[in-house]
Amino acid sequence: MNVVQELLHRLPRDQVIVDDEQKAPFECDGLSAYREKPLAVVLPANIEQVKQTLAICRKHSTPIITRGSGTGLSGGSLPLKNGVVLGLSKMSRILEIDPLARTAVVEPGVRNITISQEATPYNLYYAPDPSSQVACSIGGNVAENSGGVHCLKYGLTVHNVLAIKVITIDGEELVLDYRDDGVDLLALLNGSEGLLGVIVEIKVKLLPKPDASQLIMAAFEKVSDCANAVTNILKSGIIPAGLEMMDKFSIEAAEAFAHVGYPLEAAALLLCEVDGNQYQVEADTETVSRVLKENGAYMLKLSRNDEERIALWQGRKNAFPAVGRLSPDYYCMDGTIPRNQLAHVLDEIERMSKYYELKVANVFHAGDGNLHPLILYDAQIPGELKKTELFGAEILKLCIDVGGTITGEHGVGVEKLDSMCQQFSAPEIEIFHKIKRVFDPENLLNPGKAVPTLHRCAELGHMHVHNGQLPFAHLERF
Amino acid sequence: MPLTHFQEQIKQALHEKRRLQIIGNQSKVALNHEHQALDMSGYAGITGYDPAELVVTVKAGTKISDLKQELSEHNQMLAFDTPDYGDSTIGGNYACGLSGPSQPFFGALRDFVLGIKMIDGQGQQLTFGGQMIKNVAGYDVARLLVGSKGLFGLVTEISLKVLPLMEEKTYSIEMGQADAIIKMNEMAGTALPISGCAYYQGKLYYRLIGVHPPQSAMPEDNYIWHKMNPFRPEISGKQKLWRVSVDSMHPPIHNTLLIDQVGARRWVVSENKPDVSHVDLWNLHEKTRRPSFDSHTKITDIKRGLKSVFDPYEIFY
């Protein structure tokens, strides 16, 4: 029996998809420019079936690509032609909510927003809120260490996960807990992009809902004024719950889409949310408003109630689809930069935009330095995707050059493999490969993702050079 | 002192097949004289700090007290209440993963680690993470090595997220232990801006930050938190101090002297090890022990495998 026959034989028939048409939705994730048909898609309903699938695939040396909801933006769950997709969407039960201890234990296929919805009766919620939170799964969030608009104050996924249950490639069940002594394996698994194990259960922290939230919207005539305002808010001693900046093009796109009253003439728009108890929120609102005015905001708007606050966020939260309406395709970048480099980086992106003749909309998680330039392109025009990718890679190079990183929250996947060669030295990349081998010596879990081969870096020729030494001196050059 | 000095020492040890023990100011673990010391106490100082970026980068031998002083001059702080056992260094507390009362509210030491520079067991200089609050490129080695007790490599520089210094007020309520455990958990589920919640000598203590509603509980001096963190009770005879980590709602444990972190941490003094899952012996002279890789569970296999990734010739003791 081959691997597909054995999967069909051993697992319930309706949980193994081999039909081409039915496999189609699994061909790609949110990075839809890359597509591949897997041998089969398995949708296990429980841990036993995960173990069975792993055992069968391992026996046949077949790669396994674990997948949640498929909303990832870096091709992390792109199938392999000779691989099996392990879709965890059927494992979607909330196993326990403990309101007093403020924890929830959930299966990996549970959608991010469902946890907060289920915790609402206890006045609790799960803090990380990626913009895809209505669809994305918590298992995928852990695999990518996802962020969201509130992570400056409330942290990323890694800060909100207390324990996970992982199945290793050899079928062992590990429980990794934040209280474990010695090395922090729980932190290692967060953001490991499905390369080290299959996460089958997650215990998350729940937080009390703040008593009050206030959104302050400020419009600026100059991008640099807006950037300074961000710096000075953080210097004033306030950590806003959200601090989001949009450039002129994003403002226009979002307003046309959501009609929330954004000022169309502004060069930059800042959305700052403060939350907590009523007393603190009042004090912080006053401070933030003063700092914004001092830094040249020509218009301030305070949300008068929760409906208005949520409405004003809608524009920002829909910035991606809003930009998407203006162009057949767009490519979303995810670099991070020190905030003091923002004005410089935006100038450079504008220069590149003219050079490549491609429009860019910039949305920026200003609080944590995470920049999302959206490059508009048309995949039907021959060569335009390639040009867009070059443009994107140049933006990431710029992020590294100013002291930032190539991905803040979307992960490396297949998309940023080349840029990894620029951010890390050969010995560092070798360490990553060795870590992978400790967990998965046969290289069956999501092989080829997240960490480039040294050969690939050498071929690209833009490996980051340490101490002036040429990397991979032992490898042949082409 | 240049980093090449440490690289040389590591390469020398490799050559001579000797082991090195990384030490700072020996506030937590004393030098085992069977091994050569790799002394980090002189490798100190802040190498990068821009308050508006909320990030500080320090050399591993920097004293925590010096770092806190520098941050407070810019109205900022380390938000994880890392305990200072007397000239403790940031590298030592990173190696032991030590956090205090604010952990349930702001996070543990590892939550604030953004990046490290290190030298591995073959003398290679490596960098993982960086100065960015968000960074998911490559495996999170900077956080992986928190708590690794210097067994995987020499961490030379650490970048940490910092937070604004906030005004603190402490209050207390007298009550029994079992009730206090429930009360703490209830309080942590409200929007009250709590940054510490403990139970000590018959009183539930809680600490509030910033502007908050008026409290009916008894005001206390903030100094009480220094008595609880680091916790150094008088111990006599065959008694031992145990650091116990449990679920926050875990019922009272016999011989508990202090409950911290909303109930998730218990400090127990007894002859015998308390019978729960996460317990560490907290000796007066050796507060943290080397992790043991001797058992043959899958987790130990993985830890042993990871040790050999960074230190294949077992240079670091």
Side-chain angles (χ1 to χ4, degrees):
Chain A
M1 268 197 279
N2 66 25
V3 65
V4 174
Q5 287 163 337
E6 193 163 347
L7 287 168
L8 285 168
H9 178 71
R10 301 263 302 275
L11 290 152
R13 184 63 193 87
D14 60 340
Q15 286 170 229
V16 182
I17 300 172
V18 291
D19 177 72
D20 256 8
E21 208 167 298
Q22 286 180 294
K23 277 194 291 193
F26 297 91
E27 274 176 18
C28 66
D29 60 13
L31 185 72
S32 55
Y34 296 79
R35 287 169 189 276
E36 190 64 79
K37 270 214 170 68
L39 288 177
V41 177
V42 181
L43 303 172
N46 54 48
I47 291 176
E48 260 335 289
Q49 292 175 353
V50 170
K51 287 184 184 172
Q52 273 181 320
T53 309
L54 291 180
I56 295 166
C57 289
R58 188 168 171 228
K59 180 175 148 195
H60 295 274
S61 296
T62 302
I64 298 125
I65 291 86
T66 310
R67 177 185 166 106
S69 303
T71 55
L73 292 169
S74 57
S77 52
L78 176 73
L80 287 171
K81 201 161 43 187
N82 63 339
V84 165
V85 168
L86 183 68
L88 298 179
S89 55
K90 277 192 196 295
M91 292 176 68
S92 59
R93 287 177 305 160
I94 292 196
L95 301 173
E96 182 195 297
I97 290 184
D98 184 335
L100 206 45
R102 293 150 284 115
T103 57
V105 180
V106 301
E107 291 187 327
V110 171
R111 288 176 305 133
N112 173 297
I113 201 160
T114 309
I115 304 175
S116 291
Q117 284 165 348
E118 295 292 317
T120 297
Y122 313 106
N123 204 34
L124 299 169
Y125 76 112
Y126 174 67
D129 58 343
S131 52
S132 57
Q133 72 179 143
V134 295
C136 65
S137 71
I138 185 72
N141 289 176
V142 178
E144 300 292 324
N145 189 13
S146 306
V149 296
H150 289 99
C151 47
L152 176 65
K153 184 166 180 182
Y154 296 107
L156 307 158
T157 304
V158 67
H159 302 116
N160 289 278
V161 170
L162 299 171
I164 55 175
K165 191 181 278 181
V166 185
I167 310 298
T168 62
I169 185 65
D170 45 9
E172 291 239 24
E173 213 170 294
L174 306 179
V175 176
L176 308 179
D177 188 296
Y178 82 102
R179 293 170 298 204
D180 294 341
D181 195 30
V183 282
D184 199 326
L185 295 176
L186 178 59
L188 177 67
L189 264 286
N190 271 276
S192 60
E193 302 198 22
L195 271 75
L196 304 182
V198 180
I199 298 162
V200 291
E201 205 174 287
I202 299 133
K203 183 177 183 182
V204 299
K205 205 191 268 189
L206 300 174
L207 299 185
K209 286 192 178 171
D211 277 350
S213 300
Q214 174 72 57
L215 181 68
I216 305 146
M217 179 170 89
F220 294 84
E221 283 167 359
K222 287 202 301 213
V223 170
S224 55
D225 285 349
C226 185
N228 288 335
V230 167
T231 299
N232 288 316
I233 288 171
L234 295 171
K235 264 194 188 160
S236 77
I238 291 170
I239 300 294
L243 191 57
E244 295 288 314
M245 182 173 159
M246 297 163 78
D247 72 355
K248 190 170 177 58
F249 190 20
S250 307
I251 300 167
E252 286 167 4
E255 179 59 19
F257 184 84
H259 310 291
V260 287
Y262 287 171
L264 290 171
E265 70 291 345
L269 187 71
L270 192 66
L271 297 171
C272 177
E273 183 165 293
V274 290
D275 69 6
N277 70 83
Q278 190 65 46
Y279 299 78
Q280 186 70 58
V281 168
E282 279 168 22
D284 288 353
T285 304
E286 214 178 290
T287 310
V288 169
S289 302
R290 178 175 52 75
V291 172
L292 289 168
K293 282 183 206 147
E294 282 169 6
N295 285 276
Y298 71 84
M299 192 276 285
L300 281 190
K301 185 181 166 84
L302 271 60
S303 61
R304 283 162 301 187
N305 49 47
D306 253 14
E307 290 75 60
E308 192 172 48
R309 183 178 67 82
I310 290 160
L312 285 171
W313 270 121
Q314 280 313 306
R316 165 60 189 92
K317 288 203 171 180
N318 288 302
F320 289 15
V323 169
R325 288 202 320 171
L326 305 179
S327 168
D329 302 282
Y330 70 89
Y331 185 46
C332 173
M333 309 305 301
D334 176 44
T336 62
I337 54 171
R339 278 176 295 265
N340 59 28
Q341 296 290 326
L342 178 64
H344 165 68
V345 168
L346 290 180
D347 280 350
E348 283 295 295
I349 291 176
E350 197 180 326
R351 187 187 58 74
M352 293 177 207
S353 163
K354 285 183 184 138
Y355 173 80
Y356 286 101
E357 297 174 323
L358 292 167
K359 286 190 91 171
V360 183
N362 288 293
V363 293
F364 186 48
H365 299 304
D368 45 40
N370 192 193
L371 185 64
H372 291 310
L374 304 170
I375 307 173
L376 279 60
Y377 73 102
D378 182 352
Q380 300 300 317
I381 301 174
E384 196 151 293
L385 174 60
K386 185 72 204 154
K387 196 165 76 166
T388 303
E389 287 178 336
L390 285 174
F391 184 0
E394 202 175 327
I395 292 176
L396 296 187
K397 170 84 169 45
L398 174 64
C399 292
I400 299 170
D401 289 345
V402 299
T405 169
I406 58 170
T407 174
E409 57 186 0
H410 295 169
V412 174
V414 292
E415 183 203 15
K416 302 180 197 81
L417 284 169
D418 291 348
S419 297
M420 282 290 283
C421 306
Q422 292 180 317
Q423 185 161 336
F424 292 98
S425 71
E428 288 153 7
I429 285 179
E430 257 176 10
I431 293 271
F432 291 150
H433 285 300
K434 285 181 186 164
I435 290 173
K436 162 83 168 155
R437 282 201 284 276
V438 169
F439 286 83
D440 178 22
E442 294 157 78
N443 196 27
L444 293 177
L445 293 169
N446 215 6
K449 311 283 177 65
V451 185
T453 62
L454 289 174
H455 216 88
R456 179 183 183 123
C457 292
E459 278 183 37
L460 281 163
H462 50 46
M463 186 86 209
H464 143 149
V465 177
H466 257 329
N467 307 326
Q469 290 164 339
L470 187 67
F472 322 111
H474 59 288
L475 288 183
E476 251 182 281
R477 307 277 154 170
F478 306 98
Chain B
M1 198 183 296
L3 281 179
T4 46
H5 167 83
F6 300 120
Q7 281 179 299
E8 285 309 314
Q9 200 181 347
I10 290 166
K11 284 178 181 164
Q12 188 72 24
L14 259 179
H15 183 70
E16 293 169 7
K17 298 196 168 68
R18 271 189 301 126
R19 280 180 155 189
L20 295 172
Q21 185 187 354
I22 302 166
I23 56 163
N25 288 324
Q26 302 187 59
S27 68
K28 295 180 286 295
V29 185
L31 178 66
N32 174 336
H33 289 282
E34 285 171 33
H35 308 296
Q36 195 185 50
L38 201 167
D39 185 356
M40 292 299 283
S41 60
Y43 195 70
I46 292 172
T47 60
Y49 179 35
D50 177 355
E53 298 292 325
L54 304 175
V55 177
V56 67
T57 301
V58 282
K59 292 181 181 172
T62 309
K63 283 185 208 169
I64 283 161
S65 51
D66 290 348
L67 176 56
K68 283 183 175 170
Q69 176 65 31
E70 175 69 20
L71 295 175
S72 69
E73 279 166 24
H74 296 87
N75 274 317
Q76 293 189 330
M77 63 168 184
L78 297 177
F80 44 94
D81 278 343
T82 198
D84 188 346
Y85 282 94
D87 289 340
S88 290
T89 63
I90 191 67
N93 279 28
Y94 170 98
C96 298
L98 299 181
S99 316
S102 61
Q103 175 171 339
F105 307 98
F106 294 139
L109 181 144
R110 70 92 125 135
D111 293 315
F112 290 86
V113 171
L114 304 178
I116 56 167
K117 287 195 167 140
M118 66 177 291
I119 303 174
D120 71 5
Q122 297 182 79
Q124 299 189 102
Q125 282 189 46
L126 305 166
T127 302
F128 296 103
Q131 285 77 46
M132 296 290 103
I133 287 167
K134 274 165 139 180
N135 181 1
V136 293
Y139 298 122
D140 198 345
V141 175
R143 288 197 177 97
L144 168 70
L145 297 189
V146 172
S148 61
K149 315 273 162 61
L151 282 181
F152 285 62
L154 179 70
V155 173
T156 57
E157 208 174 281
I158 305 168
S159 293
L160 295 162
K161 180 180 169 185
V162 296
L163 287 183
L165 200 55
M166 282 165 279
E167 200 193 333
E168 297 174 338
K169 289 224 169 71
T170 302
Y171 301 90
S172 74
I173 308 170
E174 280 187 41
M175 59 169 68
Q177 196 178 137
D179 289 342
I181 292 170
I182 297 167
K183 177 75 178 167
M184 285 177 182
N185 279 280
E186 283 173 354
M187 287 174 74
T190 68
L192 212 55
I194 309 177
S195 72
C197 198
Y199 180 77
Y200 184 49
Q201 296 180 333
K203 284 180 179 177
L204 185 159
Y205 289 92
Y206 64 100
R207 185 174 63 186
L208 301 183
I209 48 165
V211 192
H212 55 78
Q215 299 295 302
S216 57
M218 181 72 76
E220 296 276 353
D221 195 307
N222 285 329
Y223 183 75
I224 188 73
W225 299 98
H226 291 285
K227 278 168 89 173
M228 298 190 266
N229 179 47
F231 188 52
R232 286 182 278 201
E234 297 274 333
I235 293 170
S236 54
K238 290 181 176 164
Q239 305 279 7
K240 296 181 187 101
L241 179 63
W242 306 93
R243 189 186 74 165
V244 179
S245 303
V246 287
D247 288 339
S248 62
M249 279 298 294
H250 195 282
I253 298 171
H254 278 302
N255 305 312
T256 297
L257 290 195
L258 167 65
I259 301 179
D260 193 6
Q261 301 187 1
V262 198
R265 171 146 302 158
R266 316 281 169 101
W267 293 92
V268 175
V269 170
S270 62
E271 237 178 274
N272 300 318
K273 187 177 175 179
D275 186 22
V276 286
S277 64
H278 292 85
V279 182
D280 296 296
L281 178 62
W282 221 250
N283 273 339
L284 197 58
H285 300 293
E286 191 153 351
K287 273 133 205 125
T288 60
R289 289 176 304 161
R290 313 175 53 232
S292 151
F293 301 126
D294 298 338
S295 64
H296 276 279
T297 61
K298 181 73 187 174
I299 291 229
T300 318
D301 289 347
I302 288 172
K303 288 182 177 171
R304 203 183 307 114
L306 290 173
K307 157 108 175 146
S308 67
V309 167
F310 292 92
D311 182 26
Y313 304 106
E314 304 201 7
I315 294 300
F316 297 111
Y317 169 80

